[in-house]
């Protein structure tokens, strides 16, 4: 994790020092491309992982139940935090 | 929304390509995804650093931002526990251990398989580890694809919580785009705290 944070802060420093270079204004585009590439690689890793593919039918729905409820729980909790504590800044 | 669909399609193409087995056998051992993640983080950093409002972004950090990781953790654990009513095979704490991966699928599945081997045996421990892997991949995909809708219906904090640990990496660009650039420090801060909490909660619920 610290490698990732370190790399990001290196990026922040470089970006701050060279913020006038026009190349840096295109990072949003390249970020989108990198995410697509990352998900492509994740897809290949999952597809070629026999443990996952063979068990998708048996475990997939159980995983989906936990994933959906866990995600919903966190969404509702953060929605409450937004309503209760961030009202002032909540205007969009 | 169109961007999300492209990501989903590319992901599915990747999955199909993976199952065909046309790739070299040592694919699993290559650290390509790690290097691409590093490249992503460098670009995210460049993007933040070159932001003309960087100073204001840093100034906006408040103590109440601590409430967001707290909300993520409490909401996730509470609802994961509820999921055990539907999954009779697993105990409340098994479900909470899976939920407390917070979308960190690689780490949580390995930890669960290891910690649960003693009490459940290798067969069931591997099953729960696989469920953790899948559940946390699903969570990442939901956060990544659902961010535009989450912001619209549940506000700008919802994608941060839904993303769990990924609020500081894979989902961060989406959060910045749909929740606003002022949410970037919050999202990074949230990701770091949740990241640190994963080993703690997973081992805790595996022991209970």
């Amino acid at each position: 994790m610290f490698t990732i944070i370190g790399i990001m802060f290196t990026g922040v420093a470089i970006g701050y020092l060279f913020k006038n270079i026009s190349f840096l204004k295109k990072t949003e585009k390249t970020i989108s491309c990198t995410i697509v590439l990352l998900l492509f690689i994740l897809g290949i890793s999952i597809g070629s992982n026999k443990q996952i593919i063979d068990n998708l039918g048996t475990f997939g729905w159980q995983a989906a139940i936990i994933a959906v409820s866990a995600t919903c729980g966190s969404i509702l909790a953060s929605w409450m935090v937004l309503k209760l504590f961030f009202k002032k800044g909540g205007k969009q | 929304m169109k961007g999300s669909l492209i990501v989903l399609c590319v992901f599915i193409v990747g999955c199909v390509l993976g199952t065909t087995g046309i790739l070299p056998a040592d694919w699993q051992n290559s650290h390509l995804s790690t290097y691409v993640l590093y490249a992503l983080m460098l670009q995210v950093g460049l993007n933040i650093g070159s932001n003309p409002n960087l100073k204001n972004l840093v100034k906006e950090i408040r103590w109440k931002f601590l409430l967001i990781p707290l909300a993520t953790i409490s909401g996730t654990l509470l609802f994961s526990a509820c999921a055990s009513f539907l999954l009779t095979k697993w105990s409340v704490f098994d479900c909470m251990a899976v939920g407390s991966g917070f979308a960190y699928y690689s780490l949580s599945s390995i930890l669960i398989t290891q910690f649960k081997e003693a009490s459940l045996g290798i067969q069931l421990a591997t099953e729960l580890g696989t469920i953790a892997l899948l559940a946390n991949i699903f969570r990442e995909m939901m956060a990544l694809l659902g961010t535009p809708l989450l912001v619209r219906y549940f506000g700008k904090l919802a994608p941060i919580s839904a993303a769990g640990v990924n609020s500081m990496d894979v989902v961060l660009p989406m959060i910045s785009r749909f929740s606003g650039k002022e949410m970037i420090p919050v999202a990074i801060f949230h990701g770091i705290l949740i990241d640190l909490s994963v080993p703690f909660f997973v081992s805790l619920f595996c022991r209970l």
Side-chain angles (χ1 to χ4, degrees), chain B residues 122-142:
Chain B
I122 191 148
Q123 172 76 29
L124 282 175
T126 313
E127 279 185 27
L128 195 63
T130 311
I131 291 175
L133 180 68
L134 289 169
N136 287 299
I137 290 173
F138 289 159
R139 183 170 183 167
E140 177 180 310
M141 296 302 290
M142 283 192 282

Side-chain angles (χ1 to χ4, degrees), chain B residues 86-158:
Chain B
L86 292 168
L87 303 170
T88 44
K89 188 177 179 184
W90 307 105
S91 76
V92 177
F93 297 123
D94 291 341
C95 290
M96 288 169 91
V98 172
S100 51
F102 299 108
Y104 200 159
Y105 48 85
S106 51
L107 181 67
S108 69
S109 59
I110 292 167
L111 287 180
I112 286 176
T113 312
Q114 278 178 357
F115 288 142
K116 275 287 169 188
E117 207 185 312
S119 56
L120 290 178
I122 191 148
Q123 172 76 29
L124 282 175
T126 313
E127 279 185 27
L128 195 63
T130 311
I131 291 175
L133 180 68
L134 289 169
N136 287 299
I137 290 173
F138 289 159
R139 183 170 183 167
E140 177 180 310
M141 296 302 290
M142 283 192 282
L144 191 64
L145 303 175
T147 294
L149 293 174
L150 290 179
V151 172
R152 193 185 304 160
Y153 294 107
F154 297 98
K156 57 185 178 179
L157 302 182

Side-chain angles (χ1 to χ4, degrees), chain B residues 48-74:
Chain B
I48 297 169
S50 60
N51 187 330
N53 299 319
L54 184 65
K55 283 192 180 121
N56 287 333
L57 276 180
V58 177
K59 254 190 248 163
E60 288 292 307
I61 298 175
R62 297 278 182 278
W63 278 107
K64 66 178 178 182
F65 289 166
L66 269 175
L67 291 167
I68 305 167
L70 280 178
T72 306
I73 292 170
S74 47

